[in-house]
Amino acid sequence: MAAALVDEEINNDDFYALLNVRREATQEELKAAYRRLCMLYHPDKHRDPELKQQAETLFNLAHQAYEVLSDPQSRAIYDIYGKKGLDMEGWEVVERKKASAEIREEFERLQREREERRLQQRTNPKGTISVGVDATDLFDRYEEEFEQPGSGFPQIEINKMHISQSIEAPLTTTDTAVLAGSLSTQNGNGGGSINVALRRVTSAKGWGELEFGAGDIQGPLLGMKIFRNLTSQSFITTQCALQFSSRGIRPGLTTVLARNLDKNTMGYLQWRWGSQSAMNTSIVRDTKTSHITIALQLGIPHSFMLLSYQYKFQDEDQTRVKGTIKAGFFGTLVEYGAERKISRHSVLGATVSIGVPQGVSLKIKLNRASQTYFFPIHLTDQLLPSAIFYATVGPLVVFFAMHRLIIKPYLLAQKEKELEKQRANSSSAIALKKQEAEAAVRLMQESVKRIIDLEESKLERRSSTKGLILSTRVQRDGLGRLTMV
């Protein structure tokens, strides 16, 4: 048992329980409890090797607890955040403060700095995979006189695909390099591009970025982007680019001005000049239960009005339903859909798009951590009720079937594994604390036995002395002197 106490990692988080004092204990009470435990657990007071080893372990635990609780700043940190707060780096350079609010602020600052250092030591990969599916043959089928008898089976084709990936590499505390690449193909024709960007944080109010790109579709690209906080409530972003191609140089400029209208509402003004010049204004309101977007764009060739609403359910799956209406010079579009969290890092969503002259489409999106998988399925070029029905009901049936047969059993199995792991950790922790308690009892028993033996020896000496006095007689000799017999 002594070996187990020494070899196992001691992780007793309750320092007050170690010293057997209340959480409101004064410094005098802490000192008295620590002295009492030192007298009990001091290794020099135990001769048995096993008890000596146990006493040394418990003595070190009591010493660690007293060191933390006897220091006002360490005690304040421990009372707020426990041992994890004491393990935070940087407390040694923090001014010693007594207020718990100031301690909390310092802890949050140190935690942010640690997270920033951790982010600077690793890349931030982001990726998108989009696969376009043409399923119009399911609904837009025309019977021709020359159609062969065996050609009635509907054809579903993948007509386009897009893959993009980007990573970030911090160079210094202010400089970051971004490498991005993409591949696209549509109806048998495709190409790719690669972009390198260098971003520098110039101050607490802004940053700048230079971008260089090359590709076999659009040609070389040279761009610059600047972000600046104008006030605490507004910012501006400007992006300009020069696209080189066989047709010449195509310049482009985009400027966005944003301002906080209230706590949950942002207003945006955007001006875009280039091949598709436009002016856009939008208002976005994001609250705990809803997300609303209202936008108006005037441009060449696209001008439209947009209204989007999203409702957020307050459940553990973070379910959201949304609807969008978009009307412009090139037709009208109505979209509705939902998304739901299916695991800790995955969100699955589906959207039905109905428009003139776009037709009916089903868009399925899966977000897995920083990766996005997008599957737009074009069902028909016409407004067919059957296509709208199957696009709406089909994903729901498939989702609930998969959730019941695959996702839910998988999550339950993962949860059971976590519970088993927690039980194993709890049982080991309970066993370790039981060993500590048994060791403390044995040490107390030895101390009590030692005290009892000492008291019995004292009592024996007193009894022998008293018997000697009672057995001694006093008499006078012949000369009249007193003598003891």
Side-chain angles (χ1 to χ4, degrees):
M1 185 171 62
L5 277 173
V6 175
D7 295 339
E8 292 285 346
E9 182 181 357
I10 303 298
N11 186 22
N12 199 325
D13 294 338
D14 196 345
F15 288 162
Y16 292 99
L18 278 172
L19 297 180
N20 194 24
V21 295
R22 56 192 178 91
R23 298 187 68 87
E24 299 81 10
T26 62
Q27 290 295 327
E28 289 74 14
E29 292 174 341
L30 290 173
K31 186 180 296 184
Y34 176 62
R35 287 180 177 177
R36 183 171 60 253
L37 293 179
C38 285
M39 294 178 61
L40 181 62
Y41 296 146
H42 200 285
D44 295 342
K45 293 184 175 293
H46 305 277
R47 297 181 180 179
D48 184 82
E50 183 178 2
L51 293 177
K52 189 179 184 70
Q53 204 169 13
Q54 296 173 4
E56 184 176 358
T57 302
L58 295 174
F59 181 82
N60 292 334
L61 282 174
H63 180 69
Q64 180 188 10
Y66 180 71
E67 275 192 339
V68 172
L69 300 183
S70 60
D71 181 70
Q73 185 190 30
S74 299
R75 184 176 182 179
I77 298 170
Y78 173 78
D79 288 343
I80 298 173
Y81 298 105
K83 290 187 68 176
K84 68 176 182 179
L86 299 172
D87 296 335
M88 180 69 66
E89 298 178 359
W91 287 117
E92 61 277 2
V93 297
V94 174
E95 181 184 355
R96 305 183 72 83
K97 301 176 180 180
K98 297 182 180 180
S100 59
E102 295 173 332
I103 294 293
R104 187 182 298 275
E105 291 177 1
E106 295 294 345
F107 177 83
E108 293 175 352
R109 181 184 65 81
L110 293 173
Q111 193 173 30
R112 286 195 302 268
E113 291 179 356
R114 185 176 66 173
E115 291 297 329
E116 290 175 359
R117 290 194 300 268
R118 184 180 300 173
L119 289 175
Q120 290 174 0
Q121 295 173 356
R122 66 181 183 181
T123 61
N124 184 24
K126 297 179 181 179
T128 301
I129 297 177
S130 177
V131 180
V133 179
D134 184 2
T136 55
D137 200 39
L138 289 173
F139 300 96
D140 298 342
R141 301 181 60 195
Y142 299 94
E143 299 293 339
E144 301 290 346
E145 294 180 358
F146 56 84
E147 188 175 2
Q148 299 297 326
S151 62
F153 191 79
Q155 296 182 358
I156 300 177
E157 301 177 350
I158 296 177
N159 58 359
K160 58 183 177 180
M161 181 179 294
H162 176 78
I163 300 174
S164 64
Q165 187 73 28
S166 67
I167 58 173
E168 296 181 359
L171 304 178
T172 64
T173 55
T174 59
D175 298 335
T176 302
V178 182
L179 177 64
S182 65
L183 292 172
S184 300
T185 177
Q186 184 172 0
N187 297 327
N189 299 319
S193 64
I194 185 170
N195 296 72
V196 178
L198 298 176
R199 184 186 306 141
R200 165 167 287 188
V201 178
T202 56
S203 66
K205 294 185 176 181
W207 51 267
E209 181 178 285
L210 291 176
E211 183 180 6
F212 307 92
D216 56 357
I217 298 179
Q218 297 181 344
L221 172 70
L222 176 62
M224 181 176 65
K225 187 175 183 180
I226 299 175
F227 172 86
R228 180 75 177 178
N229 281 315
L230 301 179
T231 64
S232 60
Q233 301 292 329
S234 62
F235 66 86
I236 187 172
T237 301
T238 301
Q239 182 176 5
C240 57
L242 294 176
Q243 185 73 60
F244 299 88
S245 65
S246 58
R247 299 180 180 179
I249 301 176
R250 291 186 301 172
L253 177 65
T254 302
T255 300
V256 178
L257 176 64
R259 179 178 175 81
N260 282 318
L261 303 181
D262 59 35
K263 181 180 179 181
N264 300 310
T265 307
M266 288 288 296
Y268 297 91
L269 290 175
Q270 183 185 59
W271 178 66
R272 185 171 64 247
W273 175 79
S275 59
Q276 295 184 350
S277 299
M279 293 184 64
N280 182 292
T281 179
S282 59
I283 297 177
V284 179
R285 180 171 178 80
D286 191 6
T287 63
K288 186 178 180 180
T289 59
S290 64
H291 183 94
I292 303 174
T293 301
I294 302 174
L296 172 64
Q297 175 172 304
L298 299 176
I300 302 173
H302 298 293
S303 296
F304 62 85
M305 293 182 61
L306 180 143
L307 174 62
S308 177
Y309 177 79
Q310 182 182 86
Y311 182 77
K312 306 174 185 178
F313 290 91
Q314 303 302 307
D315 56 355
E316 60 179 6
D317 294 328
Q318 300 179 6
T319 305
R320 300 181 180 186
V321 295
K322 57 184 177 180
T324 302
I325 300 177
K326 182 179 179 182
F329 292 165
F330 286 87
T332 303
L333 181 68
V334 177
E335 291 186 343
Y336 57 90
E339 65 179 34
R340 190 176 188 180
K341 188 176 181 180
I342 59 175
S343 68
R344 181 179 300 178
H345 304 290
S346 301
V347 177
L348 180 63
T351 302
V352 179
S353 178
I354 306 168
V356 177
Q358 294 89 348
V360 181
S361 298
L362 173 63
K363 302 174 183 179
I364 299 175
K365 184 170 68 173
L366 173 64
N367 290 329
R368 173 70 178 174
S370 59
Q371 302 295 317
T372 301
Y373 305 90
F374 185 55
F375 303 92
I377 305 173
H378 188 48
L379 299 178
T380 176
D381 294 325
Q382 307 176 51
L383 296 183
L384 298 179
S386 59
I388 298 175
F389 174 79
Y390 286 111
T392 304
V393 178
L396 293 175
V397 174
V398 173
F399 171 76
F400 284 111
M402 290 182 60
H403 186 269
R404 187 173 185 85
L405 300 177
I406 300 176
I407 299 175
K408 190 174 181 179
Y410 173 77
L411 295 178
L412 289 176
Q414 291 295 112
K415 189 174 182 180
E416 188 63 28
K417 288 182 180 180
E418 293 180 0
L419 289 176
E420 289 293 335
K421 187 177 180 180
Q422 291 178 1
R423 292 191 191 102
N425 294 336
S426 299
S427 61
S428 61
I430 291 173
L432 182 59
K433 291 184 180 295
K434 184 178 179 180
Q435 292 174 0
E436 294 177 12
E438 291 176 350
V441 170
R442 294 186 61 182
L443 293 173
M444 292 180 183
Q445 289 176 346
E446 188 196 22
S447 299
V448 171
K449 184 176 180 301
R450 187 169 60 249
I451 294 173
I452 292 175
D453 293 341
L454 180 62
E455 292 297 328
E456 288 181 350
S457 62
K458 289 181 180 179
L459 185 59
E460 289 178 358
R461 287 198 299 270
R462 291 175 183 173
S463 299
S464 61
T465 303
K466 184 177 180 180
L468 179 62
I469 295 174
L470 293 176
S471 61
T472 303
R473 291 183 299 168
V474 180
Q475 64 179 13
R476 293 182 181 273
D477 58 8
L479 299 177
R481 293 174 300 182
L482 298 175
T483 60
M484 299 181 65
V485 181

